[in-house]
Amino acid sequence: MANISKCTAANLKDAATSLRSGNLVAFPTETVYGLGADAINKSAIENLYKVKGRPKDHPLIVHISSMENIGRWARDVPEYAIRLARTFWPGSMTLILPRTNLAKNFITGSQDNVALRVPSHSLALSLIAEFEAQGGVGVAAPSANRFGKVSPTTAEAVYEELSDYLSLADLILDGGPCQVGVESTIINCTQSVPEILRPGALTIKLIYDQTGIEVNHSRNYSNQNKIKVPGSMQSHYAPKAKVFLSAKARPGDGFIALSNIETPAGAVRLANPRTNLEYARELYQALRSADNLQLTKVYVVPPIGNDIAIAVRDRLLRCAF
Ligand code: TXA
Ligand code: MG
């Protein structure tokens, strides 16, 4: 059990204090809801892994309030990473960088690098800033779902996922639905050329257009045996219902597609996004509603395009049969 509370200034302050005391706080970010814990508190992080049901060697993203704080967590930061941070933070971008001693094995899955992100959601930023004002140095926050399941994009979805595992001292902050809807773009900045480990709203093209920085795309990064990214394993982001990437829904099956694609006769329309941005925003809630409606199969027509559609297709490929 945990309480859902509104993000008033007083609640944010209490939530930051609670994080400092070693409790867990789920909070909204612009991408998905995160489950926060004090990134340097070993027992809080151990509890976080337990609540998520996540294997210990899968690392966590440390959320900070500003790029000024990069140097506390990361060393040998390449010039291109500074430019990326300057251009795209706060925002849905996570940078993997060589770690300092502050980033312990219990955060990094014993890897020599650390994942950092400055989210743009004003409530997330306020929470982290308040946490830092109270002496904290970073909030570790994976998506607030059980391992392998669909990331939550509302406070109610966090409650559905985790209320059985959270304790009464833990909190869920309600900031309404997330605007982006898919997790941040993860960029490996530990080598001479940056590399996308997980696609998100920030695409290679957007990065190039705004900075001139060329970023590679690493398709099977987890297979290269260098850095583990659980979000790049099969069977992630999965609802209970079986997901099929096709328009051939039968009566009683769930159906997700852009609004210009008609619902097959008798199928249950779970989302009707008009654009790829709306598709990303609505996808996880639509998959979740399939489970709530106890549907056993969902047919999904992936969006086309080289924008956020890349991230949506990536997640769909991982949860589909
Ligand atoms: O949008 C997001 O990134 C959300 C919000 C809450 O910020 N967070 C999120 O966290 O998606 P999580 O833990 O569900 O996914 C983070 C991914 C994992 O696949 C993890 O393995 C990878 O980032 N990661 C974390 N630290 C890493 C590191 N040091 N090296 C490589 N990958 C890392
Ligand atoms: Mg996740």
Side-chain angles (χ1 to χ4, degrees):
M1 280 289 280
N3 291 317
I4 299 191
S5 71
K6 293 277 168 220
C7 291
T8 61
N11 285 348
L12 282 173
K13 199 164 188 180
D14 291 349
T17 309
S18 187
L19 276 174
R20 287 290 289 145
S21 329
N23 299 312
L24 304 181
V25 175
F27 62 95
T29 82
E30 71 282 17
T31 57
V32 300
Y33 273 70
L35 180 62
D38 184 340
I40 57 169
N41 180 332
K42 189 168 187 224
S43 68
I45 298 298
E46 278 170 1
N47 185 31
L48 174 62
Y49 273 91
K50 216 186 305 155
V51 167
K52 256 195 83 85
R54 179 172 183 152
K56 284 229 170 84
D57 59 346
H58 292 303
L60 300 171
I61 299 174
V62 177
H63 296 67
I64 51 180
S65 70
S66 147
M67 69 174 286
E68 309 296 309
N69 299 344
I70 290 186
R72 302 193 71 169
W73 290 96
R75 61 183 162 79
D76 305 330
V77 180
E79 191 266 343
Y80 70 75
I82 302 279
R83 271 166 62 211
L84 289 173
R86 230 180 241 140
T87 313
F88 300 112
W89 275 350
S92 58
M93 175 182 78
T94 297
L95 301 181
I96 309 289
L97 291 159
R99 67 173 170 177
T100 62
N101 285 338
L102 190 61
K104 301 289 186 231
N105 284 343
F106 58 79
I107 280 287
T108 70
S110 301
Q111 302 182 67
D112 285 334
N113 43 63
V114 64
L116 296 178
R117 172 158 118 83
V118 179
S120 67
H121 195 295
S122 60
L123 298 174
L125 275 180
S126 304
L127 175 69
I128 300 162
E130 178 60 37
F131 175 80
E132 289 170 354
Q134 294 184 24
V137 277
V139 177
S143 50
N145 51 280
R146 295 279 290 166
F147 185 63
K149 300 296 181 196
V150 180
S151 298
T153 53
T154 63
E156 293 76 22
V158 175
Y159 190 85
E160 274 171 28
E161 278 284 323
L162 299 180
S163 63
D164 287 350
Y165 304 91
L166 293 170
S167 77
L168 259 181
D170 301 327
L171 268 179
I172 300 171
L173 292 174
D174 186 352
C178 301
Q179 286 304 298
V180 177
V182 290
E183 303 81 353
S184 60
T185 303
I186 301 182
I187 306 176
N188 178 15
C189 302
T190 64
Q191 39 200 36
S192 53
V193 179
E195 188 178 45
I196 302 253
L197 301 185
R198 179 178 71 182
L202 182 64
T203 58
I204 289 178
K205 179 171 184 329
L206 274 173
I207 294 172
Y208 184 74
D209 288 350
Q210 290 196 41
T211 64
I213 296 172
E214 294 191 28
V215 181
N216 290 334
H217 186 210
S218 163
R219 277 215 159 268
N220 287 312
Y221 201 85
S222 60
N223 295 341
Q224 292 176 24
N225 214 10
K226 283 192 213 153
I227 295 179
K228 290 190 198 104
V229 186
S232 65
M233 296 185 324
Q234 289 297 325
S235 186
H236 229 77
Y237 315 104
K240 287 195 194 103
K242 284 188 179 169
V243 176
F244 299 93
L245 301 187
S246 133
K248 293 189 181 146
R250 301 222 196 102
D253 293 336
F255 188 67
I256 300 171
L258 279 169
S259 58
N260 61 357
I261 301 174
E262 243 179 73
T263 313
V268 182
R269 187 91 191 197
L270 298 171
N272 218 8
R274 286 163 304 173
T275 62
N276 289 349
L277 280 175
E278 284 185 9
Y279 202 125
R281 196 176 298 150
E282 294 171 21
L283 175 67
Y284 287 160
Q285 198 53 37
L287 292 174
R288 214 167 263 288
S289 63
D291 286 351
N292 291 338
L293 293 167
Q294 297 184 318
L295 305 181
T296 53
K297 294 179 189 162
V298 186
Y299 285 77
V300 186
V301 183
I304 295 164
N306 286 327
D307 51 10
I308 200 166
I310 297 171
V312 172
R313 290 196 298 270
D314 170 78
R315 307 308 190 271
L316 285 172
L317 282 171
R318 295 182 200 293
C319 73
F321 271 72

